[in-house]
Amino acid sequence: MVTPAVVLAGTRSGVGKTTIATGIMGALARRGLRVQPFKCGPDYIDPSYHLMACGVPSRNLDTWLLSHDTVLEFYGRAAQPANVAVVEGVMGLYDGHANLTEQGSTAEVAKLLRTPVVLIASAARVARSVAAEVLGFQKFDPSVNIAGVVLNGVGSPRHLEFCKPPIEDATGLPVLGYMPRRDDLRVPERHLGLIPTVEGVVVEEWFDKLTAQVEETIDLDRLLEVATQAHTPIVEPSIFPAQSQSQPRRARIAVAQDKAFNFYYQDSLDLLEAWGAEIVPFSPLYDEVLPSEVGGVYIGGGFPELFARELSANSSMKRSISDAHAAGRKIYAECGGLMYLGETLTDFDGEAHAMVGLIPAKSSMSKGRLTLGYREVEALAEGALLSKGERVRGHEFHWSVADSPASAEQATYTVCSQDGRIEGFRDGSLWASYIHVHMGSRPGMARRFVGECARS
């Protein structure tokens, strides 16, 4: 049986997708429905809002990082037990990896899942012209099933009357509801976008107000009717082991999870568990030492720059990680994890804080431009995730800068899409890089990491 599903896509970034998606998810969950959330693209922060709304982890669906069959496999595993699936898009509906193709876009995901799209359009500073915008999205690719519209930023009932009837007349699409212009429903932001809910800034009061507004001005019954148009194909497992290949526990892997480090793809962690890992969370901020008897350490991205003083002060944890490296334990770090393993981290105020010191590099918060984009990388040596010469797709997203290693003898990767730029750092059992990698991007990668951790 196919799970009812809907894709919530925007006309552009900043149109209110996350706010509206979180409110719709929360309102449906409060009806007693089991709602499975998803996020298009390589995003870590929006899924934290989905988790808050639905009570279950959100899953990333990225048709550039992952093969189409892998996206369908991840989607099917998570959506099957749910009453309804809600997929939040990325950027604008048709924005993706390239300028002349749909690769990596919300539109590509919607077509792959055969799922209807509800288009979120801004009514701010516009009236009848919003109908022309919606009509353009409808005509741009008729194979995308745009099945309804939600308006954001409506100023008054009269303003709604200048927007809703023209849309329905010009496109034949129902306007399923709207969100009024309310500053108190905006989600708090900073340098990398929305603030993750794990930091406790997003309060229950905000979520309650948001959900109440959605229940008042968005027709959830009609939205659920639209969701029944989903006809998602089912695929056989290929990234996860089949049930007949269930794996025994082979390795304990310590995963950094606290306010400073919380950027992980849920399916990556699930893949590690499926291939025999016992995931053991730990906090570089608050724990004194690593969990006992671990064969590997995984330190993902996050915001170490905001907690640099506390991370620096936890000397016993820094020693524990250094001892694990000296003992040959596998250590894999991404972005914020790389910054933490370096010599120093200079925060926004220009103050340098001593970090673990396993990487001969100093990182600092850049006053310049954001480094952002998809990357394809090639391993320069044998490592816990890849063999020398193997390639994998990933994503880079950071304001900080770090000293680069002087030669390929120290680097982790060459970046294939950037003239072989050297990236990251390696030292024996340690691999670190600014590149975020999804464990499902390359078949066998999760199994290899678990096996390497078991051997160490």
Side-chain angles (χ1 to χ4, degrees):
M1 179 178 175
V2 175
T3 301
V6 65
V7 174
L8 301 176
T11 54
R12 61 179 59 83
S13 293
V15 78
K17 289 190 304 295
T18 302
T19 300
I20 292 173
T22 301
I24 287 174
M25 291 171 185
L28 292 175
R30 288 188 178 186
R31 287 188 167 196
L33 298 175
R34 175 165 179 157
V35 184
Q36 177 56 57
F38 295 92
K39 172 65 183 179
C40 295
D43 192 296
Y44 297 105
I45 299 176
D46 292 358
S48 73
Y49 288 80
H50 300 173
L51 172 61
M52 178 182 64
C54 302
V56 296
S58 185
R59 312 289 175 145
N60 291 77
L61 306 174
D62 191 307
T63 48
W64 192 84
L65 287 180
L66 309 170
S67 72
H68 282 193
D69 280 350
T70 299
V71 169
L72 287 171
E73 182 177 347
F74 286 166
Y75 177 85
R77 285 184 77 253
Q80 191 275 328
N83 300 120
V84 62
V86 179
V87 183
E88 181 191 341
V90 60
M91 300 184 291
L93 173 59
Y94 297 110
D95 301 321
H97 172 61
N99 60 345
L100 293 177
T101 73
E102 65 179 11
Q103 190 176 29
S105 69
T106 304
E108 184 178 37
V109 171
K111 289 161 69 172
L112 176 66
L113 299 181
R114 300 180 193 171
T115 300
V117 171
V118 170
L119 188 67
I120 299 170
S122 174
R125 297 181 297 278
V126 73
R128 183 170 180 247
S129 295
V130 73
E133 182 178 36
V134 173
L135 181 63
F137 274 80
Q138 183 186 43
K139 298 292 187 182
F140 187 80
D141 184 353
S143 63
V144 176
N145 177 20
I146 299 178
V149 177
V150 169
L151 292 171
N152 194 22
V154 172
S156 65
R158 181 166 173 77
H159 184 199
L160 181 64
E161 283 304 308
F162 272 91
C163 297
K164 179 179 176 180
I167 291 172
E168 295 182 335
D169 180 64
T171 68
L173 299 174
V175 175
L176 302 176
Y178 70 95
M179 294 291 283
R181 200 177 300 156
R182 286 182 59 180
D183 290 341
D184 62 332
L185 295 184
R186 291 186 179 180
V187 188
E189 298 187 50
R190 59 165 174 247
H191 60 288
L192 285 184
L194 303 184
I195 298 177
T197 57
V198 71
E199 294 184 29
V201 176
V202 180
V203 296
E204 191 68 30
E205 181 183 357
W206 171 85
F207 180 62
D208 286 341
K209 288 190 294 185
L210 173 64
T211 305
Q213 183 63 63
V214 166
E215 290 172 332
E216 180 182 345
T217 55
I218 294 180
D219 191 335
L220 297 173
D221 290 327
R222 292 188 72 186
L223 183 78
L224 289 170
E225 288 179 14
V226 167
T228 62
Q229 299 176 24
H231 298 288
T232 309
I234 298 172
V235 298
E236 293 297 318
S238 60
I239 292 293
F240 280 90
Q243 288 186 346
S244 60
Q245 297 177 310
S246 59
Q247 303 291 306
R249 288 286 175 260
R250 297 190 291 152
R252 283 166 58 87
I253 299 178
V255 178
Q257 291 182 313
D258 58 19
K259 292 181 181 180
F261 303 100
N262 46 72
F263 288 3
Y264 300 95
Y265 297 119
Q266 184 62 44
D267 282 310
S268 286
L269 300 179
D270 289 354
L271 274 171
L272 294 175
E273 286 189 317
W275 288 108
E278 178 187 352
I279 299 297
V280 189
F282 78 100
S283 171
L285 277 170
Y286 305 118
D287 293 340
E288 294 184 356
V289 296
L290 289 169
S292 62
E293 299 180 351
V294 296
V297 181
Y298 182 6
I299 308 175
F303 294 102
E305 64 270 22
L306 299 179
F307 305 94
R309 186 182 301 276
E310 295 94 324
L311 290 169
S312 180
N314 193 350
S315 299
S316 62
M317 175 56 76
K318 293 191 292 184
R319 284 194 300 271
S320 182
I321 293 174
S322 294
D323 290 344
H325 178 247
R329 303 292 183 261
K330 301 298 181 183
I331 300 178
Y332 173 61
E334 295 177 338
C335 199
L338 177 148
M339 296 160 65
Y340 176 57
L341 295 180
E343 293 179 352
T344 61
L345 195 169
T346 301
D347 61 22
F348 286 105
D349 296 325
E351 184 177 353
H353 305 272
M355 294 290 111
V356 177
L358 290 178
I359 295 175
K362 299 176 174 66
S363 59
S364 61
M365 298 313 297
S366 171
K367 302 297 184 182
R369 58 193 293 254
L370 173 69
T371 301
L372 168 68
Y374 286 120
R375 308 284 186 252
E376 184 171 19
V377 296
E378 181 176 307
L380 287 168
E382 295 294 312
L385 269 65
L386 301 168
S387 293
K388 181 179 180 180
E390 287 187 333
R391 294 187 176 189
V392 69
R393 288 181 169 185
H395 184 258
E396 198 170 4
F397 185 38
H398 56 92
W399 280 100
S400 66
V401 293
D403 300 335
S404 298
S407 67
E409 280 66 41
Q410 291 179 294
T412 306
Y413 305 120
T414 57
V415 183
C416 308
S417 54
Q418 295 183 335
D419 298 325
R421 170 173 69 90
I422 290 174
E423 215 292 315
F425 181 87
R426 71 177 195 274
D427 180 11
S429 62
L430 182 154
W431 261 32
S433 168
Y434 265 122
I435 309 297
H436 295 278
V437 172
H438 196 302
M439 292 289 175
S441 293
R442 184 181 178 88
M445 189 162 61
R447 178 194 284 186
R448 178 187 177 95
F449 186 43
V450 175
E452 290 292 316
C453 291
R455 280 188 284 276
S456 74

